[in-house]
Amino acid sequence: QLQLVESGGGLVEPGGSLRLSCAASGFTLNYYAIGWFRQAPGKEREGVSCISTSDGSTYYSDSVKGRFTISRDNAKNTMYLQMNSLKPEDTAVYYCAAAMGWYGSNWYKARLYDYWGQGTQVTVSS
């Protein structure tokens, strides 16, 4: 059974940090483009970051560039999102996802991803 399971969400004060994890089972993450998305209430799902399959390049949305870091541990078949300098506007449900293809500049389009985790809540508030 192909599965992605996120963990690491929670409540953090503005300026704080969190690290999200996403463990894959039933398939090998190394062969997929992997991404993180988020969805705030009343808003569309937004692409946050991804790692390509082609050369391992990383991509970030403008809203998180310089604050978030995506990574992958192939030995653990797990991906991560390190989030620093968190802001209230980062509050959302965060999802990890994996895509069998690589779509280059379209990496942020949720519909291109084949497998999804269940989501983990991140709340940034004082």
Side-chain angles (χ1 to χ4, degrees), residues 28-108:
T28 303
L29 272 181
N30 191 36
Y31 298 125
Y32 291 75
I34 56 174
W36 286 96
F37 291 76
R38 66 186 182 186
Q39 189 166 19
K43 294 188 176 181
E44 292 188 355
R45 194 166 294 191
E46 172 192 14
V48 173
S49 181
C50 85
I51 298 179
S52 75
T53 50
S54 57
D55 60 1
S57 297
T58 56
Y59 298 79
Y60 298 93
S61 67
D62 288 343
S63 60
V64 306
K65 198 172 296 181
R67 300 188 297 122
F68 290 12
T69 304
I70 190 173
S71 62
R72 173 170 56 197
D73 186 330
N74 293 333
K76 295 183 178 180
N77 210 27
T78 299
M79 57 192 282
Y80 303 96
L81 185 68
Q82 177 67 44
M83 305 185 295
N84 298 329
S85 302
L86 283 161
K87 304 175 181 180
E89 51 264 43
D90 294 318
T91 295
V93 178
Y94 283 70
Y95 300 88
C96 61
M100 290 184 286
W102 171 238
Y103 303 100
S105 59
N106 292 313
W107 67 267
Y108 60 93

